[in-house]
Amino acid sequence: MPKDGLEENNEVKLDGQGKPLWLCLELTYRCPLQCPWCNNPLDFDTYKDELSTDDWVRVLREGREMGALQVGFTGGEPMMRKDIVEITAEASKLGYYTNLVTGGVGLTKDKLEALKEAGLNQIQLSIQSCDPVMTNKLVGAEAHDDKIQTAHDIKDLGFPLSLNVPVCRESIDQTREILDMCEEVKADYLEYVQIQYYNWALLNRDELLPSRDQVIYAEELINEARERLGKKMTIYFVVPDYHDKFPKACMNGWGAIHLTIAPDGTAMPCQEARIIKEIDFPSVRDHDLSWIWHESPAFSLYRGDDWMKEPCRSCDNKEQDVGGCRCQAYMLTGDATNTDPVCYKSPHHHIIEEAIEAADRVGRNPRPYVMRRVQSASDLRQSSAGE
Amino acid sequence: MAEAPQVDETPQIDPADQFEVHPFYVFRWEESQEAHVLLYPEGVVKLNDTAAEILKLCDGDRSVTQIIDELKNVYDVSDPDTASRIEAGVYKFLEDSHAKGWTRRK
């Protein structure tokens, strides 16, 4: 404390200082749900060789040595791993803030108690609608009632309750009722999240992307709720990037603070990066995390802004939005070094405008969702082999 | 009759208030940052020394007055200006940190 009194500002800026602060561990791609916006790869069913418990513990230890503070266990459904409690206990012992990202299936009260005992800090539970019929349709399983029960159990055990509600065209008009539901189960945090259009979500984009009017109305209701609920429930809501003027600052930049490990040990700067086929991502089976983070070509590829082309290179906003998302640029324009086409300055921005128009077209014939199933994955492989 | 508020929202700090770190937050020293940090769902805050000094005293037991007295014992307050700055600083910090959800009233 300075002798002459107290400083005004309590927070010190936490940039990564080159450290991977966030570790995202995709423990498995196995999942009892079939959500059509799943961000897992289209060939998720071919990843059978998951890392062992010892591998995950080693990754956690190496991450902590490098200054990682937060770990998220996700998937697939992390509860499908028999060693989830063991892995959580190790992470907690190492000093991580531990987050479990779950669909709730398999998260019984016994398991919750064991996780609490293991030191788990928080659970982010996904729920898709306030209406059981809609939830079950969207996830392709009878899951709604279990999810609600799990929400109550989470509260009963004294965990903070974070609900993650993905917003899509079919459910967004229920915003008011969904907010009521979240209030009823006493959620502490609500992430009313926009679907990001990669992998399964991209296949289903026309059916999932809400219209601009739907988004504007939902935002009004969210703002009302924020006003009314104050600190009782913290609500995170951002306008979907397709409807925004500037792109999202994806992962705060490539290889800046995020490190994802896929079930097979592949290390990536985000969960979607494998979309970029030309990049050879390293595996924790072959290298330690420090080499992967500091030395591997894959992680330094789009660090900083040297890789940027125009219009990013000379843009005043480049430090705020880091040029958007490399995966989205690659997927939609074929070149990961292009400006994210969500940006109004991008020469490819028409792709986004056309997608919004296509989804909104009057008289468009809705198609059924392509659910994230083993059967769909194998059908997709067959049809792409036939092309 | 108005319902009793379920959540402690009062921004006004009373000298007798007792604050504790909100149980959703983990407050600890982090060697790799050479600083105290607050960890919470999906977030990390790195604190400066001043904030950490005050937060350490937010144990749910000490009152605001006691926190101020303890800090006055630690620092040289022969200059009355310093004493009043400490007092104002503690109030300001408790207001801010409470508004951010880092602490709650016991």
Side-chain angles (χ1 to χ4, degrees):
Chain A
M1 191 180 287
K3 270 201 220 51
D4 59 353
L6 299 165
E7 290 170 47
E8 282 280 309
N9 192 6
N10 320 312
E11 288 175 54
V12 181
K13 190 171 159 34
L14 181 84
D15 60 13
Q17 299 165 323
K19 296 182 176 74
L21 296 178
W22 293 77
L23 224 51
C24 169
L25 306 187
E26 296 181 323
L27 298 180
T28 179
Y29 285 144
R30 288 173 287 146
C31 186
L33 306 183
Q34 307 173 347
C35 310
W37 51 78
C38 184
N39 67 347
N40 286 168
L42 295 178
D43 60 351
F44 71 91
D45 57 323
T46 63
Y47 295 85
K48 306 263 192 245
D49 189 17
E50 295 176 4
L51 292 184
S52 66
T53 313
D54 288 348
D55 288 332
W56 286 120
V57 170
R58 176 174 57 86
V59 164
L60 283 165
R61 201 175 51 236
E62 291 173 0
R64 215 30 215 120
E65 281 163 11
M66 295 167 69
L69 293 171
Q70 290 266 359
V71 63
F73 300 117
T74 180
E77 171 53 63
M79 293 313 296
M80 300 292 279
R81 285 283 301 212
K82 291 199 172 65
D83 51 5
I84 182 68
V85 175
E86 194 179 340
I87 293 174
T88 304
E90 286 295 332
S92 185
K93 233 187 289 172
L94 286 164
Y96 284 97
Y97 193 90
T98 50
N99 305 270
L100 177 72
V101 182
T102 177
V105 179
L107 189 51
T108 57
K109 195 144 194 186
D110 288 352
K111 271 274 155 62
L112 271 172
E113 277 165 5
L115 287 164
K116 181 93 191 172
E117 182 79 12
L120 180 67
N121 293 106
Q122 82 119 357
I123 299 161
Q124 192 195 94
L125 174 69
S126 72
I127 185 152
Q128 288 67 22
S129 165
C130 48
D131 164 21
V133 177
M134 173 90 76
T135 302
N136 295 345
K137 178 190 171 192
L138 289 172
V139 304
E142 297 286 315
H144 185 87
D145 295 346
D146 285 351
K147 284 168 179 280
I148 296 288
Q149 183 56 48
T150 303
H152 287 299
D153 292 345
I154 289 170
K155 283 299 282 192
D156 285 351
L157 284 173
F159 285 110
L161 175 61
S162 301
L163 291 181
N164 177 294
V165 182
V167 195
C168 68
R169 169 175 293 256
E170 194 173 351
S171 62
I172 192 170
D173 294 333
Q174 296 181 337
T175 298
R176 190 186 296 277
E177 292 78 12
I178 289 173
L179 286 164
D180 288 346
M181 169 190 73
C182 296
E183 208 184 328
E184 217 170 279
V185 297
K186 302 193 168 63
D188 300 288
Y189 301 88
L190 164 61
E191 291 192 47
Y192 206 52
V193 291
Q194 304 300 335
I195 287 165
Q196 303 285 337
Y197 296 99
Y198 308 96
N199 295 331
W200 295 90
L202 187 63
L203 280 182
N204 291 296
R205 187 176 63 187
D206 280 357
E207 312 311 318
L208 295 172
L209 187 65
S211 73
R212 208 176 291 268
D213 288 346
Q214 283 182 304
V215 172
I216 291 169
Y217 184 56
E219 195 178 18
E220 277 173 24
L221 294 174
I222 294 282
N223 286 336
E224 261 175 45
R226 280 180 176 146
E227 189 83 9
R228 182 165 51 84
L229 297 170
K231 276 202 284 186
K232 207 159 114 187
M233 182 162 82
T234 304
I235 308 176
Y236 300 102
F237 175 78
V238 287
V239 171
D241 65 344
Y242 271 54
H243 290 296
D244 215 346
K245 195 173 164 194
F246 288 106
K248 56 182 181 280
C250 201
M251 313 314 284
N252 287 79
W254 183 273
I257 53 172
H258 284 266
L259 176 55
T260 292
I261 315 289
D264 63 344
T266 304
M268 297 174 285
C270 72
Q271 289 180 267
E272 326 299 339
R274 223 173 339 205
I275 286 170
I276 309 177
K277 295 275 179 242
E278 288 80 358
I279 304 178
D280 187 18
F281 288 103
S283 169
V284 298
R285 291 188 203 268
D286 308 321
H287 301 280
D288 61 41
L289 273 198
S290 176
W291 183 88
I292 287 170
W293 185 255
H294 296 293
E295 311 286 337
S296 75
F299 273 77
S300 58
L301 202 51
Y302 307 122
R303 269 208 183 110
D305 55 17
D306 281 352
W307 56 270
M308 283 183 185
K309 301 200 286 198
E310 292 297 345
C312 287
R313 180 170 283 277
S314 60
C315 181
D316 291 343
N317 216 43
K318 70 177 172 187
E319 283 183 15
Q320 279 77 58
D321 65 26
V322 300
C325 170
R326 304 286 45 80
C327 305
Q328 189 146 277
Y330 177 87
M331 262 183 334
L332 300 181
T333 76
D335 180 350
T337 63
N338 279 332
T339 298
D340 185 336
V342 158
C343 183
Y344 78 106
K345 291 182 181 175
S346 159
H348 300 96
H349 185 60
H350 61 92
I351 295 171
I352 299 294
E353 288 176 332
E354 283 158 19
I356 294 172
E357 277 166 32
D360 262 352
R361 209 172 54 238
V362 180
R364 181 179 68 90
N365 273 332
R367 291 180 309 160
Y369 299 120
V370 183
M371 303 301 279
R372 178 233 199 240
R373 289 189 187 120
V374 174
Q375 188 58 49
S376 336
S378 113
D379 290 350
L380 286 166
R381 273 196 292 280
Q382 281 196 350
S383 68
S384 70
E387 270 168 20
Chain B
M1 201 169 73
E3 268 183 62
Q6 292 185 335
V7 174
D8 131 45
E9 292 268 14
T10 326
Q12 207 67 46
I13 308 281
D14 188 273
D17 281 342
Q18 297 159 303
F19 287 96
E20 64 178 357
V21 175
H22 195 286
F24 295 171
Y25 287 68
V26 173
F27 169 60
R28 65 167 171 79
W29 174 258
E30 170 60 22
E31 191 56 45
S32 67
Q33 295 288 337
E34 294 179 345
H36 278 86
V37 292
L38 272 173
L39 304 169
Y40 58 99
E42 312 272 319
V44 180
V45 172
K46 180 173 168 179
L47 297 166
N48 66 19
D49 295 347
T50 309
E53 287 300 324
I54 303 172
L55 215 47
K56 274 188 229 168
L57 300 174
C58 293
D59 55 3
D61 200 23
R62 290 177 170 89
S63 69
V64 176
T65 311
Q66 284 170 315
I67 290 176
I68 292 167
D69 287 347
E70 283 202 34
L71 289 172
K72 281 180 182 166
N73 283 335
V74 177
Y75 298 94
D76 176 9
V77 289
S78 47
D79 174 3
D81 262 10
T82 308
S84 65
R85 267 206 297 275
I86 286 178
E87 184 160 338
V90 168
Y91 272 94
K92 172 95 171 63
F93 173 80
L94 291 176
E95 227 168 80
D96 289 351
S97 57
H98 184 248
K100 286 175 182 158
W102 299 352
T103 60
R104 67 175 189 188
R105 282 189 179 81
K106 188 72 183 188

